[in-house]
Amino acid sequence: MNNFVKGMLVGVGIGLLMAPMRGEELRKLVGERINELSGYLPQNEQIDAHKHQISDRVNQTAGALKGYAQQAATTMKSTASSLSDIAQNAASTVRGSGKDVADTTRDAINSSQPSMKW
């Protein structure tokens, strides 16, 4: 720990000896540079305008997505209804065909048996 403190003191001493200017001058220079750089940043009005544009675009996109979702839901309901109708028609056709096959089979069996007369 003793060596650490000695190293730190030597570093601070070298920093003070090598410093290009006094603290007051350095603070003034840093303040001037900050003022220069702040001229490159957009003003609050410009930032507000960009925020409004982005907000409007987000709202438009959200509205469009909501519309697409409603269209998809409507299409799905319509498709489900159509599939239900098709399934009911198919079931009815199968029942009718099954009845026809049963009737034809019964008739064929009845016609192939010899009739018995007493």
Side-chain angles (χ1 to χ4, degrees):
M1 183 72 169
N2 191 17
N3 287 334
F4 175 74
V5 172
K6 286 180 187 177
M8 195 166 75
L9 290 175
V10 169
V12 168
I14 291 173
L16 288 174
L17 291 175
M18 304 291 286
M21 58 185 74
R22 294 186 341 224
E24 184 179 311
E25 292 173 1
L26 186 60
R27 285 189 297 272
K28 182 179 176 186
L29 181 64
V30 168
E32 289 173 359
R33 289 292 290 163
I34 288 175
N35 286 335
E36 280 180 39
L37 293 175
S38 68
Y40 295 114
L41 296 174
Q43 299 299 321
N44 285 340
E45 297 157 358
Q46 292 172 328
I47 291 173
D48 287 341
H50 288 300
K51 283 194 290 189
H52 287 298
Q53 287 176 346
I54 290 170
S55 177
D56 290 343
R57 287 183 182 169
V58 167
N59 288 335
Q60 288 174 352
T61 302
L65 289 175
K66 184 178 178 181
Y68 294 145
Q70 288 174 343
Q71 287 176 351
T74 301
T75 302
M76 290 298 290
K77 286 178 184 177
S78 174
T79 302
S81 177
S82 295
L83 287 175
S84 175
D85 291 344
I86 290 170
Q88 287 175 355
N89 289 339
S92 177
T93 302
V94 167
R95 277 192 301 268
S97 296
K99 187 175 182 320
D100 289 344
V101 167
D103 290 344
T104 304
T105 304
R106 188 178 335 105
D107 292 344
I109 290 172
N110 289 338
S111 66
S112 66
Q113 290 179 352
S115 53
M116 294 196 175
K117 294 186 182 178
W118 295 85

